[in-house]
Amino acid sequence: MYKYKIVNEESLPIYGYKIHISATFDNYKDMYNLLSPLLDARKISYKYIYREEDVAYNFSVRESPVNSGKYFTIYPENDHVFLDLLELLYQTIPKNMEGIYILSDRAYKDSNTIFYRYGFFREDLEYLEKGIPTLLGPNGEKWQDYQKPYFNLPEWIQDIQENTFIKDSYLSRNYRLKAMLSQSSGGNVYQVDSVIEGKKYILKECRPHVISFRGVETQTLRKNEYEISKKLLDHTPVVRETVTEWINQYYIYEFIDGSDLLKYTKAYSIVSYKKPNKELNTKKFKSFLLITRELLELVEYFHSRNIILNDIHPGNFIKSENKLYFVDLENSYEYDNKPAIGLYSVISLKEWNSIDGKVSDCHKVGNLLLFLLARLHIKSMDDLSQSYHILNSLLAEFGLRTNFTSIIEKLFSKDATVSDILKDLNEIYVYQIESLHSLDEVLTDQPERSFTITEIINKELVNFQRYENAKNNQRLLQHLMHREKNLGLDGLSGLLILMKIYDFDCDIIDYGINIIIEKLIVADNGRMVPIESNLVSPYLNNGTAGFIRALIFIDFEKYTDLIKELSEGLITEFAQYADFWNGMLGIADTLLELYCYFKVRKYKEVALSLLNTVECYVKYSKADKQEYLYVLSKYMDMKEL
């Protein structure tokens, strides 16, 4: 991503002031032509983003807010060079040249493109605390150089400019910040309270020059949402006002108190069904039909006003106590127009960007319903038949029979209209059936290959060489482990197993285990391995099953109580994926492993339930048969135990 022009690395300090130069996608080449000769002539060390596609990424919403806009990074040898260079750049770069505002830095004077911050130039083990570069002040103060979306100096370091805080503004007089709901380099979304009324509102921030996709800036989409929202009177948040402040635009909307569609429907989807309780499953399915009707009625309302929703996915819908809302209209458009950008996601196929907008919405709703009900989705129109069969098989596993797939079929038809499909929804039925299942009939042959954990780890973990090189350097090993983002077998848990195999020091292995333990978060079934700040995973590759396998392999007796506790996170009859490494088969395999140690009947019963569920995918080639047979044969071997 970067091209480095380091003149003399030994002459650079470990930490100090550094300079960032920003730009826009329209002027970054001009900025390069201006800066590169100037820095080269003065033998100043720097790096810059080299390839055009990487510049586009850094200047877009895909980049983290902290790194967005950092086109050039300049490393002055000392504070004197730093101050002289800042002023030289200020005199050289035209005042009217625009750039993305760098959130982690402070702008120099009134420049739009010159920024600076204090931090580390390179990593040094002597300055690392739990993997984070750390400085200690003269009086024992501590300052850590981790990513922050705001300017932050060590308290013992004096800034080179006077503070210029904005003491008063329209927004500060009229709104109080309550929470940040989402963060993006294009602008955050906040919940605010009105100072006068005390009512809740949503404030959408819009930062200039940040690209959303293919040259379309975020501010264009935010404005589009504002204009379309003003034309709608129902099913979308009411517009309150728009405010221009500092360099940003802010759009303020009515706050909708509720849950997004994925969270709301979870209680009525197959994820929540229990095989012994068909009556409750039936009630839940009927509740899902009610939300299906609400969803179709919302789409019908938009289409009746010639508005295409376009960006249809669970997070863009909020279900309040008595109504469903569509809350993200940035990519919506009027029927006679074209969308500003083409969409592609789990719900939206690329080819749907070029068909009739209303039909495209119907297709996306069909895919959304598959996902909400059974975590299914089609990747091409050729997948439709298989998806219908898998859905019906899954529902049958939980004792239900329905003609609901007829609604999905109509949503995927070439001439789909929401008003007609709403009428057809009245004909949907559901009733209970007996689920007769015999795994003996499935196991007609033995698996052709094994899927042992150590075999997979040796194949998947290509970065273990770094750990082998650092085997005798405990501090470097600790640093490397703190930097691992994945905690499952694809990451730290797998690395710990390899360390055990290759006779690494027991203390360093225990240190790595404690890193994972400290990061466990409480979910519905107790503590589990996180994949994001508030999301957990039960899988082998990135989640709880993987950590359990590591604990069993490394020291079962020492971690027996923790293994028992974590096993509760695997007690489920359904998960989004079916495969071994990243799905239900891996969970089932781990439960069977736990049964071998603890002889808890529940582990074997849940494993059997998961195998029955995965069979629905295997029959239609949506899960690997060999992986399935491997876990199934293991279950059969201990069936009578």
Side-chain angles (χ1 to χ4, degrees), residues 16 60 72 83 243 296 330 337 388 447 474 478 497 546 562 575 635:
S60 78
F72 270 72
L83 292 170
V243 177
L296 292 173
E330 289 185 10
N337 298 332
Y388 301 153
Q474 189 177 59
Q478 290 174 349
I497 289 176
L562 179 59
Y635 171 82

Side-chain angles (χ1 to χ4, degrees), residues 582-641:
N582 182 44
M584 288 182 276
L585 286 174
I587 300 172
D589 188 72
T590 302
L591 287 168
L592 294 175
E593 191 78 10
L594 289 167
Y595 180 76
C596 291
Y597 284 95
F598 297 113
K599 296 300 183 288
V600 175
R601 187 175 183 83
K602 175 174 63 175
Y603 296 152
K604 192 165 70 170
E605 290 173 345
V606 175
L608 171 61
S609 179
L610 289 167
L611 283 166
N612 286 335
T613 301
V614 173
E615 188 198 344
C616 301
Y617 297 83
V618 175
K619 282 193 294 188
Y620 300 101
S621 302
K622 288 297 183 180
D624 188 288
K625 184 177 180 181
Q626 291 303 315
E627 291 181 352
Y628 175 70
L629 290 175
Y630 171 75
V631 182
L632 179 57
S633 65
K634 184 183 285 191
Y635 171 82
M636 291 305 215
D637 289 342
M638 64 177 67
K639 187 175 180 183
E640 304 305 325
L641 294 179

Side-chain angles (χ1 to χ4, degrees), residues 522-539:
V522 177
D524 293 340
N525 289 1
R527 289 196 296 172
M528 293 184 69
V529 171
I531 50 175
E532 292 180 22
S533 58
N534 60 346
L535 296 176
V536 295
S537 166
Y539 302 133

Side-chain angles (χ1 to χ4, degrees), residues 101-102 105-112 114-116 161:
Y101 193 93
I102 299 175
D105 293 25
R106 186 175 181 187
Y108 184 62
K109 296 184 177 179
D110 59 349
S111 174
N112 299 315
I114 306 169
F115 300 83
Y116 66 91
Q161 300 184 105

Side-chain angles (χ1 to χ4, degrees), residues 474-489:
Q474 189 177 59
R475 192 158 189 173
L476 179 55
L477 286 172
Q478 290 174 349
H479 169 56
L480 290 173
M481 288 191 290
H482 277 293
R483 293 188 65 175
E484 295 291 339
K485 294 181 180 178
N486 186 339
L487 303 180
L489 293 181

